[in-house]
Every structure is written in C-alpha cells, then in structure tokens.
Amino acid sequence: MSGVAEGVSPLELADYQKAVRLVLRHPLVTPGYPDRGALATVRRWADQLRTDLMETLGYRLVTTADTARLQRAQDALDATRPALTRAGRPFDRRRYAYLVLALAALGRHGAQVALGELADAVAADAVRIDGLGLDTARKPDRDAFVDAVTWLTERGALTLADGSATAWAGDPERAEALYDIDREILLAVHHPTRVLQHLTSVTALLDSGGALGLSAGRAAQRRDQARRARRLVLENPVAYYADADTELLGQLRAPALAEDLERLTGLAVERRAEGVALVDTSGRLSDTRFPGGGTVAQAALLLAARISAAVQRGGRHALELLPAPTAAERLAARARRIDGALPARGLVAELAGPGEESVVGTPGDERQEPTETRYPFVTDSWLRGRLREITVEYGAGFAADLRGDPDRLLGQALDLLAAMSLIVRVDGGALALPLIARYRGVTARVKTRTVAQLPVQTDLFADDTAKDPTP
C-alpha cells in the first residue's frame, strides 16, 4: 500500500486535504454543486484522491467530464444523513419514493421535460404502489413532488429553463415549469452497485457482509479490517472500543489509523480510554455540528449537561447501569424494521443472493462478541423533568412551537444526542455514553438586548457563554 498523499508536496497538502474533505462531505460533485469551484478542486487532485480513498477507506471515486461521484462502502444503516426538503426538513418516505420514481421517469424523457408532464409520469407509476399515489390536485402531494424535483435541481440533474416549480406547486392550472435534463449527472445520481430487484434484505446493501474469508489471506483480511476501522472513525462522531469486535479493536488501537486519517483529512484524531474520534472543530467535514444553533440543538446541549452531571452521582443516588445494544443488535433491529416494509412484488426471487439475511447475525451470535459494557441509565420521566426545568429557565430563547410541545422537543433533542453518539435510546429512557462527559458543566444564559425602536429580542448561547463545542 502506498502512503497517504504520497504524491502531494508539503506546500500543497492543505489544498489536497481540502479536496478530500469536499468529496467526503459531498459524494456527488457537479459543475454547480455544492458550488461552482468544487468540481475543479476535485478534478485537480482526482488521481491522488482515487488512489488514497480506495487504499485507505475502500471508497471508489468515479469522475467524468461533469461529475465526481464517490461510491462509499457501507458498514451500517445510517439514518443521520437524510435528503432535505426546500425547508431543510428530512425527506419522508413519500418524498424518497417520488425522487426514485422521478429518476426512473426522467430516464424515459428526452432533453427537456415539463414539470406537469413529469408529475403525470410519476403519478402513473406511483398509483401502482400500495399506499403511495400522486394526486396533483392535492397540495401536500405537489409539495412533496416539488421537493424531490428541487433535490435533483440543486445537484444539476435538472436545470430550470422557464417557469417556476413553486408557482406550479401553488396552482398547477395557472403555472408550469420547464427543465433541461443533464443525463450525465442523472446517471451519477442513480448509480446502484447492486440489482435491487434481487434483494430480500436491506443488509445485502452493506459491504461488511462481504468480509473477506480465510481464503483471501491474512494480509488481505488485515487490509479489509483496517479500512473498516478507518471508516468507523471517519463516518461517526466517535468509535467506542466496547462496540468493536476483536479484530476491529486491534485496528482501532493501531497508530497507523490516526496517522493515515490525519494526513488524509487534515483533522486531528483524539484517543481516550473509551474510544477514538476524528475531531472537526471547524465543521469542515461534519454534516451535523454540535453544539449548534436552533432550539433543538440548544435544548440537547443543556440536556446533555444535566445527564452528564447525573452520571457523576454516587452512593444511593448513583444511576443504574445497564448494557447497551451492541452494534450487531442495533443493525439487526433496524434491518428488521426496513425488511418488514420491503415489497415482495417485483422481487426476482430466483436471482436473490443466498443467505442475505445472515449478514447481520443475531443477538445470540457469540462470534467475536465484545465483553458486555454497562452504561448509566436515565428514565423517560427523569428526562421530561429536566427538559421542563430547561424550558422554564431558557424557554424565552426557544422557538414558540417547540416550547409549547415539550414531548416533540424532547424527542428531537434525544434523537440529536443519539446521532452524536452521546446516548443510546432504549425502552423507558436512555443510556449515557462516555462522550457525554465532555459537556459536563455547560452553562448558558438568555442574552437580552434592546434595539432602538424595536421590541426586545433574545438570543440564547451567545458565543461568550457557550462551552467549547468540539467533541
């Protein structure tokens, strides 16, 4: 294996690492996405990127004249990177379905398509799917469809030539939109590595299911495990040793992991007794920043501080310790939920791969299981009580709709903490993971300022009050 960034001079290393972070954060780069200079940056370093991303992470970078597409190896089912609507909200199932059907319909069109015509084509396919449909007379359906089209437009697969999609969503009888189709970008967006009609389980999409066997040789197995370990650190807020099997644990502790990732990304690797993390203090790589702005992130930070403080209690006030689901158990639970919704219609069963369901393993599988680790447990009622205190003290800086719906605010705050690997949600409450100790002692104040001729406004978490946010 060649060294990371072997052909890059010290003077150009920062520029190269910028290109690495760019393509890792945006797996699809086009002439206009994520910005007009991005494709030129990636193309300049394409050869070195192609070598390093494959050797270090097992990722394949495919470049054409107008696209750079990173094909990631997937080791887990990750729900933390959803497609986003025009309002910045995660796609729901309907929007994902419209996006996929729009991709299929665009493959049958020429150089241009009218939005109404595309909607009719998607509706003709959607009506054949139980529970879906697309009724252009319904505003919610039109909004969901336009969100899917906008997602394609932002990436350059469609370019608005005339009209307005927003106006069409408001009144399709009075408005229309015409789009140019970029077939090269369209192919880069939809680049499946497997034939979906042959799948009987979502786990067949994971690359960890193809772990190398003994016949591959020890060197190839170690290289495969090293790539898995680097991916685990790169793609997650933290990689806990307690969550890794024996072979992966050795790679996570290896000095080469930190050296390779730091030289590849320009970010620092931090090791602690409980695990290892790639620290991104500037947000140059992370798609989710924590702490961050907004009511949910602010409430989550204050809740994390209270959970962390509770973890420190001893004696008869000490929290109960419970085991967390292992990575294999979490994957199995998610796979069961998704597989339960897979449509049987359209499956080419005779071509399905054998043994796909066995990729995840079962909770009772003792192969390479780590020693059980227990974590402090806080109950749902305790969490509701702490959020109530937070809302009373800081609610003036919260969004009114979330302040008036504490259950929704608590759910979203806990989801964010779980996505940042600070807690694990379990039945009846949550388990506090080691990284949450970083937020012990966080304080905040509602900063009030008066602007002449304007009503009093409030800001929460002014820069001078928030603790260092970096994990």
Side-chain angles (χ1 to χ4, degrees), residues 58 60 71-77 190-211 231 351-353 356 359:
R60 182 167 177 251
Q71 296 178 341
R72 278 187 161 95
Q74 296 288 342
D75 301 306
L77 302 175
H190 182 59
H191 202 128
T193 56
R194 295 164 176 83
V195 181
L196 301 183
Q197 290 92 332
H198 300 173
L199 304 184
T200 57
S201 170
V202 69
T203 57
L205 296 173
L206 301 179
D207 294 87
S208 55
R231 293 197 297 263
L351 297 178
E356 288 169 351
V359 170

Side-chain angles (χ1 to χ4, degrees), residues 110-329:
Q112 288 189 319
V113 64
L115 188 59
E117 181 186 5
L118 181 60
D120 290 341
V122 170
D125 291 332
V127 74
R128 295 184 292 177
I129 300 174
D130 295 340
L132 184 59
L134 169 58
D135 184 353
T136 55
R138 295 183 69 249
K139 182 68 162 54
D141 283 10
R142 296 198 301 273
D143 284 338
F145 174 68
V146 170
D147 279 337
V149 170
T150 302
W151 190 93
L152 292 170
T153 306
E154 289 172 348
R155 283 150 184 81
L158 296 174
T159 301
L160 184 65
D162 195 14
S164 166
T166 302
W168 180 88
D171 187 352
E173 298 297 326
R174 295 175 177 271
E176 184 55 282
L178 180 66
Y179 289 92
D180 295 330
I181 302 172
D182 189 314
R183 207 151 297 282
E184 187 173 314
I185 297 177
L186 207 60
L187 288 173
V189 170
H190 182 59
H191 202 128
T193 56
R194 295 164 176 83
V195 181
L196 301 183
Q197 290 92 332
H198 300 173
L199 304 184
T200 57
S201 170
V202 69
T203 57
L205 296 173
L206 301 179
D207 294 87
S208 55
L212 300 179
L214 293 176
S215 59
R218 287 300 302 167
Q221 289 180 42
R222 281 196 296 270
R223 185 168 61 248
D224 184 57
Q225 290 292 336
R227 288 171 175 167
R228 279 188 59 206
R230 296 189 198 102
R231 293 197 297 263
L232 187 64
V233 176
L234 179 76
E235 302 285 3
N236 296 277
V238 60
Y240 290 113
Y241 295 142
D243 222 15
D245 58 44
T246 304
E247 293 190 5
L248 199 59
L249 185 61
Q251 293 294 341
L252 287 174
R253 294 185 184 279
L257 180 141
E259 295 169 5
D260 290 346
L261 286 180
E262 288 180 348
R263 184 162 174 81
L264 183 68
T265 65
L267 305 179
V269 171
E270 180 177 317
R271 290 187 185 277
R272 295 296 177 94
E274 299 86 356
V276 54
L278 189 64
V279 181
D280 182 17
T281 57
S282 64
R284 293 174 294 178
L285 179 61
S286 304
D287 49 358
T288 302
R289 297 203 65 184
F290 184 80
T295 296
V296 173
Q298 293 165 354
L301 175 62
L302 291 167
L303 197 57
R306 281 159 174 74
I307 295 172
S308 182
V311 169
Q312 296 303 304
R313 295 192 313 228
R316 63 188 181 89
H317 298 292
L319 297 176
E320 180 184 9
L321 300 180
L322 296 177
T326 65
E329 289 170 340

Side-chain angles (χ1 to χ4, degrees), residues 346-369:
L347 171 69
V348 185
E350 60 271 21
L351 297 178
E356 288 169 351
E357 292 80 357
S358 65
V359 170
V360 172
T362 64
D365 186 0
E366 298 179 354
R367 181 172 55 92
Q368 297 180 337
E369 284 293 323

